[in-house]
Amino acid sequence: HHHYYLTMMTYLYALLLAVVATSTAFNLERPLMSRHALHQPTRTKLFSAEESVDSLDETLLRINFSVVQGAGIFESYANKALEAVRSYTQSFPFAAVLPVQPLTYLPIKMPDGSPALKVTFLRKKTAEKGSQDGGIVFTSRLVSEEDCDPDGLENYVLRIELQAKRIKEGQTIPKVFSEKQICLAFIKGLSETKGQELLAEGGGVVVDSVFHIWME
């Protein structure tokens, strides 16, 4: 009996140790788990009901620029101004805005032949899903030829419209966080030194108005 009692005690003691060990391990892991949860994509929460799947190619950002120019050949300064806006777009450091989100950005041609810039969000390729996880296309175009000044033909007002549209292709989780960071950084960059220099090279291109979907 005595031997049996000792065996039972050892067994219970071992069981107790096991329980303590497990709960300690669990407590150790818990803070790690909550810390890890911070890095989980919270994009789904940011995705509002209005932005349903059928809103294909929604405009995320629209910036209107203008150039007031005196005498000169309209075509030459119009193209110079448009080039300035396009070179700002093409030289923008998209990857630096989102160091954690793998992406590519490449110049592309739109169906009408005009140049654009395509930002593609990437993910690990699987059998079911390709490596593209949505993205953004930046386009810019001249929107008005000339609005004559009441005083005569001395002053033309030239307007350029830049748009950033969402690419839904391959998007499984809404990329609202990435889209927002890119668009806001893109706007901010226009008022920074490099952006200002590029716009000045276009003959004094100025930002007239900015619209984006996150405006209060």
Side-chain angles (χ1 to χ4, degrees), residues 31-77:
L32 285 173
M33 280 164 68
S34 58
R35 254 212 311 280
H36 181 62
L38 289 174
H39 297 288
Q40 287 301 313
T42 50
R43 291 171 200 140
T44 33
K45 288 180 191 147
L46 292 162
F47 200 63
S48 64
E50 295 89 76
E51 296 170 65
S52 58
V53 183
D54 57 0
S55 63
L56 183 69
D57 287 344
E58 182 184 1
T59 300
L60 303 172
L61 168 70
R62 187 166 47 245
I63 304 175
N64 289 309
F65 299 89
S66 66
V67 190
V68 178
Q69 178 87 16
I73 300 166
F74 181 81
E75 277 74 21
S76 67
Y77 81 74

Side-chain angles (χ1 to χ4, degrees), residues 68-96:
V68 178
Q69 178 87 16
I73 300 166
F74 181 81
E75 277 74 21
S76 67
Y77 81 74
N79 289 331
K80 192 178 166 192
L82 189 55
E83 272 313 302
V85 171
R86 286 177 176 162
S87 74
Y88 171 76
T89 308
Q90 283 172 5
S91 63
F92 188 78
F94 292 98

Side-chain angles (χ1 to χ4, degrees), residues 3-25:
H3 178 69
Y4 173 72
Y5 175 74
L6 269 175
T7 316
M8 275 306 286
M9 283 306 286
T10 316
Y11 174 71
L12 283 170
Y13 184 63
L15 192 68
L16 182 71
L17 274 178
V19 169
V20 170
T22 336
S23 67
T24 316

